[in-house]
Amino acid sequence: MVARMATTELTQENFQKTLDESDILLIDFWADWCGPCKQFAPVYEEVSEQHPDVTFGKVDTEAEQELAAAANISSIPTVMAFRENVLVFAQPGALNADQLNQVIGAVKDLDMDEVHKQVAEQQQADQDGATPEQ
């Protein structure tokens, strides 16, 4: 039996591919010097083993500064959740196992047809409102 790594180290090179291939992608943005990050890491790892249908990624904000900047990370740890390539959750601060499981449950329960509809409407509104002045 092959042991599966519960979490995946995300880098600039594999981020987009991992996002594209994951129905649900949870990401922990962390740094080695961050005390709360170190306390959250075993919780994240433990919960990841309970949800084999979810991809759990970790981004070292020191090693992957471009990724952290692109995600507008200003505080760590920060947890983000993507479902079908849509950011559906982002929150700084360490969560306990119950809170993290609640987030995962909420993400799994989302009506993605409705979410995609809302995203499309927002994009249309942004385009309509972004007409350059003449």
Side-chain angles (χ1 to χ4, degrees):
M1 186 168 154
V2 177
R4 176 177 98 71
M5 249 181 61
T7 58
T8 302
E9 195 65 39
L10 296 176
T11 64
Q12 194 75 31
E13 290 74 36
N14 71 357
F15 184 87
Q16 190 62 50
K17 181 177 191 287
T18 304
L19 180 61
D20 291 343
E21 292 177 352
S22 304
D23 180 45
I24 298 174
L25 173 61
L26 228 65
I27 305 171
D28 171 23
F29 289 86
W30 66 282
D32 196 44
W33 51 263
C34 165
C37 297
K38 288 183 178 209
Q39 291 174 335
F40 179 58
V43 172
Y44 191 74
E45 194 73 32
E46 175 189 321
V47 171
S48 74
E49 292 168 8
Q50 299 167 14
H51 298 276
D53 55 331
V54 175
T55 302
F56 285 76
K58 293 177 74 74
V59 174
D60 179 345
T61 58
E62 291 295 306
E64 297 296 332
Q65 293 181 11
E66 287 179 29
L67 271 182
N72 294 320
I73 300 301
S74 59
S75 172
I76 53 173
T78 291
V79 174
M80 287 187 170
F82 289 85
R83 175 129 182 238
E84 296 177 11
N85 264 5
V86 177
L87 176 64
V88 294
F89 178 85
Q91 178 179 307
L95 303 171
N96 65 36
D98 288 343
Q99 292 168 323
L100 189 55
N101 277 309
Q102 285 177 346
V103 168
I104 294 166
V107 170
K108 287 180 178 181
D109 289 344
L110 285 171
D111 177 346
M112 288 311 293
D113 290 336
E114 184 61 29
V115 170
H116 286 297
K117 181 176 166 240
Q118 290 174 5
V119 168
E121 288 171 357
Q122 184 61 52
Q123 288 172 339
Q124 187 60 50
D126 290 349
Q127 287 176 354
D128 293 346
T131 52
E133 291 184 31
Q134 309 234 334

